[in-house]
Amino acid sequence: MLQSIRALLVTLIAALGTTHGWAQMTQTAPAPAAEEAISAQIRKAYEPLDNADVMRALPIGVFDSGTGGLTVLEQLVTSDAFDNRTHRPGPDGRPDFEHERFVFLADQANMPYGQYPGLGKRQFLEELSIMDAHFLMGGGNVRPPAAEPGGENRRPAKIVVIACNTATAYGQRRIESCVARAGVDVEVVGVIDAGAQGAIEQIGDGPATIGVLATKGTVASGAYPEALRAEVESRGLAGPIHVVQQGSLALAGAIDGAPEFISIGGRRPRRDYRGPSPSHAEDRIDRSIISRYDFDYSAGAMLFDGDRRNPRDLQINSVENYVAYDATSLLESVRKAGRQAPLKVVILGCTHFPFYAEAFAGEFKRLYDCQENGRYVYRAFMAEQIILVDPAVHTARIVYRRLADDNRLASAAPPSPARSEFYVTVPRAEHPGVQVDASGWFRHDYKYGRNTALQQDDVRTVPFRSELLGRDVDRRLRTAVPTVGQLLDEFRRQQQSAADHR
């Protein structure tokens, strides 16, 4: 009987996967042996936990391809959108998840995910997503450095939050199928439907243009246009709603300091740069509109040879300039689309982007005021005040509702150890064939040249340490996600205390 129920669950999830065009990309053929093994491991992790009280005490699991997912965790930790006693909408002055513990995984070794689809690695990306979820559901050994305690006693998550738009677009249905095959009752929540809900709430019933700023992979999936159309239909709105997307090649990687996009202390163009440039085949810096980008050239923020007014090469070398490039490119697309409804709302469709929400807001204000020959370039195509939508806000609401409906909200404060745990993947340099650069991270060609991720052994998962990511990233985290920063400090202290008592 149990096997029949599991088979039915898999069939139902496959059917649900056909309701959105972007979900049809998922695998419907029988799972490979490695995926079957993962499902079996997930089943084993939950077998001794088949008790309502135990399930309520399990953590909320969150994963992303890098640190951007911490913006989602910040919303989960600080959200106050419901009355904790009645579960009805409306703040009560207490955090919605006040008694919950969290487990966060950043797959830093394999980030950014947004580039895999364009390089023909969609299957690999789906498998990375499965491995991330597998870790949160009790699988995957934590391999700490010799001086650090591990995470050997980690408990599996009662709900899995995909805090990555690209992983949601390509991996959510595969993860759900894997979970159903395991026969465990654990929901998987992605950020794309949440972002679509938030955008539609902002525009009301009138015509509007919605902009989507996301990674190349997320844009290529068509996930946001499909989710927005579905949301409009479900609400019975008149519309029409136009969607214009800007697929960012490099911003997520630049925010996390990926060396192919940011050269610390660089002063001249370099051969290993892979971001937008005047000669880039797809992401071209258009010299004819160079003034519209309004790039900052100070302190090596742009790398070039020759005369700045007519450089032989031009490379972006600061996060702020990447923001300027993507915001301007989005408005150029809106302008070229002609006189449809003005741009009113922009979805920050990558969890890294909310770190720079103020920078985006400033760029849209600059573009609204941008003039050439005494005429405004973009005003006819955009609202004076662009509303930025962070899907994380709405993801937190969805997670609360799911847990409340399933009676799985924690009923008491979590005991020691730490309220939250944080992990990050790093390359296993000693693994045969692994290629790393001078900074210790995968070389670009190696990272994007692999064909399978299931049960991969070229990365290890270690407790989160700020020195792994650099001072700039750590400083940004403390500023942009202060509550999560406090939880990180608490986790680090407990890790150190455990190490001292070894």
Side-chain angles (χ1 to χ4, degrees), residues 455-475:
Q455 306 284 36
Q456 66 176 345
D457 206 29
D458 58 357
V459 303
R460 60 190 175 101
T461 307
V462 301
F464 193 106
R465 307 194 317 273
S466 57
E467 58 267 28
L468 288 171
L469 306 179
R471 285 178 294 180
D472 288 344
V473 174
D474 188 60
R475 190 182 307 114

Side-chain angles (χ1 to χ4, degrees), residues 45 48 52 98 102 107 153 167 205 244 251 257-258 351 358 421 445 496:
E98 62 179 341
F102 301 90
D107 187 14
N153 298 319
D205 196 24
V244 178
L251 179 56
T351 51
E358 289 187 10
E421 300 173 45
D445 291 344
Q496 187 59 53

Side-chain angles (χ1 to χ4, degrees), residues 392-442:
V393 175
H394 303 274
T395 301
R397 297 175 187 176
I398 291 173
V399 172
Y400 185 91
R401 287 190 180 280
R402 298 279 179 87
L403 291 177
D405 289 347
D406 291 343
N407 192 25
R408 287 192 176 176
L409 287 166
S411 56
S416 294
R419 179 186 178 194
S420 297
E421 300 173 45
F422 298 85
Y423 300 95
V424 58
T425 62
V426 297
R428 285 188 64 212
E430 71 276 13
H431 185 71
V434 164
Q435 300 174 27
V436 298
D437 59 23
S439 63
W441 297 100
F442 287 139

Side-chain angles (χ1 to χ4, degrees), residues 144 146-153 417-418 463 490-502:
E148 291 187 355
E152 300 88 349
N153 298 319
E490 179 184 351
F491 178 64
R492 291 164 181 157
R493 285 194 296 270
Q494 297 211 3
Q495 289 281 299
Q496 187 59 53
S497 176
D500 292 344
H501 285 84
R502 277 189 153 188

Side-chain angles (χ1 to χ4, degrees), residues 31-43 107 110 123-135 138-143 154 174 178 425 428 431-432 434 442 446 450-461:
E35 194 169 334
E36 290 283 6
I38 288 173
S39 292
Q41 292 168 16
I42 291 173
R43 184 183 312 120
D107 187 14
N110 295 305
Q123 178 84 5
F124 185 80
L125 170 59
E126 293 175 7
E127 293 179 358
L128 283 177
S129 302
I130 290 173
M131 293 301 294
D132 294 336
H134 180 217
F135 177 84
N141 293 326
V142 176
R143 295 174 177 156
R154 289 184 305 109
R174 283 283 297 274
C178 195
T425 62
R428 285 188 64 212
H431 185 71
V434 164
F442 287 139
Y446 176 84
R450 297 166 295 167
N451 293 312
T452 183
L454 295 181
Q455 306 284 36
Q456 66 176 345
D457 206 29
D458 58 357
V459 303
R460 60 190 175 101
T461 307

Side-chain angles (χ1 to χ4, degrees), residues 24 84 96 104 106 126 133 154 159-160 184 230 234 281 302 304 321 338 350 384-386 401 430 444 476 479 488 495:
Q24 293 176 7
N84 290 9
D96 292 334
F104 179 84
E126 293 175 7
R154 289 184 305 109
I159 190 169
V160 172
V184 299
S234 70
M302 295 293 292
F304 60 92
N321 279 339
C350 171
E384 181 176 1
Q385 185 69 40
I386 298 295
R401 287 190 180 280
E430 71 276 13
H444 184 277
R476 167 173 52 77
T479 302
L488 267 168
Q495 289 281 299

